Amino acid sequence: MKKNVLIFDTTLRDGEQSPGCSMDIEQKIRMAHQLERLGVDIIEAGFPIASDGDFRAVQAVAQAIKSSSVAALCRAKFPDIECAWEAIKDADNPRIHTFIATSKLHMEYKLRMTPGQVLKAITECVSFAKQFTENVEFSAEDASRSDLDFIVEVTKVAIQAGATTVNLPDTVGYATPSEYGRMFAEVRRQLPDSRRIHLSAHTHNDLGLAVANSLSAIENGADQVECTINGIGERAGNAALEEIVMALNTRPNIYKAKTNLNTQQLIATSQLLTEITGVTVQPNKAIVGKNAFAHEAGIHQHGVLNNTLTYEIITPESVGAAGNQLVIGKHSGRHALHFRCRNLGYSLSDDELENVYKQAIHLADAKKEILDDDLRTIVAGMKSEFKNGYSPNTI
Ligand code: KIV
Ligand code: ZN
């Protein structure tokens, strides 16, 4: 039996907080519609108290979106909560997302509050938010660096006050997968009551562990993950939505979990975000990078031409990519070259293929990647060289 994991997309809030990724109202609405097409369960649209612009953007997203829930972030303060509610109250399924830090470091140096005061604020603010909507999420900021017994207490208090989701973030990307997973397992073990609420993972990528940490949380009791398209977010980013979802889909026997996503929309969503923000993804980025389904090495190309499973664990079609790509570079072999030439409409004899191959590999030393136009030029050059006795029907 696979458990259902809710996808909480925070591209428009935590993602937008990354340098160069801010979006105006119209851009947020375009992105939100695409996230809805992708099938995310919750869209966190912004932090309404932060600015008038963000308030209006969250409000516009809340009014435009029909099938996903729309969440607004707010600190555990009454005016923040009221402001968040004002922004999302027109949504079909609004969610108030309120948070306060729970680590000793944050409580002492940032909040200047005692653990008792923090627990009181959680009770008061979650109960206050419940007056507006049934759908209230509470986040314990810096949970992964908080005392574990205190996190259990915090979760208990948030549930008692009416939170329907409790989120335990790795705010600074410090946790390791086993540590982060243990926190979820302990909370589920010590609080049988937590079975009636959603437990959420929210991870940052400072050590490159965000996706691994989210997956570990899922294995240990989380049934919601908070993530962003292309992994954009504060500092080194948030967990990349596309990587989490495809790991769950590709390894069902390990994670025993499913999502409600239409994965064929992943590439389109990634590309829309790039178009809107101007921030591109690295070519070797998992799932959505330009090279995610490209093969250059001759041995790999030969394998893929015979059976794609030899070097591909995900079909390009399943994420909305056009297909795999056999790149002709200096590591490529004759099989791929033959395949590419055939696709360009050329039927080459063995000698001709050998000739084109030698020229292409020579050119690849200087040029990195041989494009279709390069192949056409090489074939045309060969055609004029072999004009005497050359049969046009063979090319
Ligand atoms: O990283 C974090 O702790 C957050 C919370 C506000 C949910 O983004
Ligand atoms: Zn965050």
Side-chain angles (χ1 to χ4, degrees):
M1 248 287 269
K2 288 191 206 161
K3 75 171 170 185
N4 198 45
V5 173
L6 298 178
I7 299 296
F8 177 114
D9 180 277
T10 183
T11 306
L12 303 181
R13 199 279 297 171
D14 224 351
E16 205 212 7
Q17 286 173 217
S18 70
C21 288
S22 68
M23 291 172 239
D24 63 24
I25 297 186
E26 189 262 331
Q27 291 170 327
K28 277 200 173 186
I29 293 175
R30 264 180 88 198
M31 197 62 211
H33 277 305
Q34 179 57 32
L35 290 169
E36 191 176 37
R37 260 191 297 280
L38 176 63
V40 308
D41 300 283
I42 304 110
I43 296 172
E44 185 164 55
F47 193 3
I49 197 90
S51 72
D52 277 354
D54 215 26
F55 179 91
R56 280 185 280 112
V58 175
Q59 194 172 44
V61 169
Q63 287 165 355
I65 294 302
K66 294 289 159 232
S67 52
S68 310
S69 172
V70 177
L73 185 70
C74 46
R75 289 169 299 184
K77 294 174 188 260
F78 289 179
D80 275 40
I81 296 169
E82 278 170 331
C83 177
W85 175 247
E86 268 311 301
I88 53 167
K89 66 180 184 198
D90 294 334
D92 280 7
N93 185 4
R95 172 180 293 196
I96 294 178
H97 178 194
T98 187
F99 74 99
I100 193 166
T102 53
S103 65
K104 208 163 169 284
L105 196 68
H106 280 233
M107 289 190 290
E108 208 170 307
Y109 292 97
K110 188 181 81 177
L111 300 173
R112 305 206 180 280
M113 286 168 82
T114 63
Q117 288 170 321
V118 166
L119 289 175
K120 186 162 172 281
I122 295 170
T123 301
E124 288 174 356
C125 290
V126 171
S127 317
F128 184 68
K130 284 295 270 197
Q131 295 174 33
F132 302 111
T133 173
E134 175 51 31
N135 193 348
V136 175
E137 170 167 341
F138 169 73
S139 282
E141 190 190 12
D142 208 17
S144 58
R145 291 194 301 170
S146 305
D147 176 78
L148 186 52
D149 290 339
F150 189 54
I151 284 298
V152 172
E153 184 68 15
V154 158
T155 307
K156 190 168 149 195
V157 164
I159 296 172
Q160 278 167 354
T164 42
T165 301
V166 173
N167 178 37
L168 303 176
D170 181 29
T171 303
V172 289
Y174 179 72
T176 66
S178 57
E179 253 177 350
Y180 195 56
R182 199 158 52 240
M183 178 169 65
F184 286 83
E186 262 317 288
V187 169
R188 286 292 194 206
R189 189 183 70 78
Q190 293 193 40
L191 295 178
D193 227 21
S194 72
R195 295 276 157 217
R196 61 188 172 83
I197 60 133
H198 294 289
L199 216 49
S200 176
H202 175 120
T203 56
H204 281 268
N205 208 28
D206 300 67
L207 293 174
L209 293 172
V211 170
N213 283 338
S214 285
L215 293 170
S216 172
I218 290 170
E219 286 185 284
N220 285 282
D223 59 356
Q224 175 179 291
V225 280
E226 306 194 356
C227 39
T228 61
I229 300 298
N230 298 342
I232 65 167
E234 286 273 1
R235 306 179 308 278
N238 286 62
L241 177 151
E242 59 278 5
E243 296 179 22
I244 296 176
V245 171
M246 290 315 291
L248 298 182
N249 281 10
T250 309
R251 305 304 307 274
N253 295 341
I254 302 289
Y255 297 115
K256 300 178 178 61
K258 62 184 169 56
T259 69
N260 300 320
L261 252 65
N262 173 6
T263 60
Q264 290 179 352
Q265 288 292 327
L266 283 172
I267 298 276
T269 314
S270 162
Q271 289 178 349
L272 178 64
L273 182 64
T274 295
E275 183 198 317
I276 286 175
T277 60
V279 177
T280 51
V281 295
Q282 74 211 49
N284 61 327
K285 163 85 178 61
I287 318 296
V288 295
K290 173 175 164 282
N291 292 349
F293 300 100
H295 307 275
E296 184 185 319
I299 295 170
H300 292 202
Q301 291 175 331
H302 188 195
V304 168
L305 282 168
N306 289 340
N307 182 341
T308 51
L309 292 178
T310 51
Y311 289 101
E312 275 178 13
I313 59 164
I314 298 167
T315 64
E317 296 75 23
S318 66
V319 297
N324 62 25
Q325 214 193 333
L326 299 182
V327 176
I328 305 297
K330 66 178 180 183
H331 305 109
S332 304
R334 290 164 179 78
H335 293 283
L337 188 81
H338 194 188
F339 179 81
R340 283 274 295 271
C341 286
R342 245 194 355 244
N343 281 357
L344 290 175
Y346 300 124
S347 166
L348 302 179
S349 68
D350 286 351
D351 285 351
E352 288 161 347
L353 180 66
E354 191 57 24
N355 187 315
V356 174
Y357 175 74
K358 283 193 178 130
Q359 291 191 57
I361 295 303
H362 182 69
L363 184 62
D365 263 336
K367 205 175 166 270
K368 290 201 174 121
E369 190 182 329
I370 303 302
L371 307 173
D372 287 348
D373 273 350
D374 297 317
L375 288 176
R376 287 191 189 98
T377 308
I378 292 173
V379 173
M382 183 175 70
K383 185 175 169 180
S384 56
E385 266 177 39
F386 290 106
K387 219 187 286 168
N388 291 338
Y390 177 79
S391 158
N393 294 335
T394 58
I395 293 182

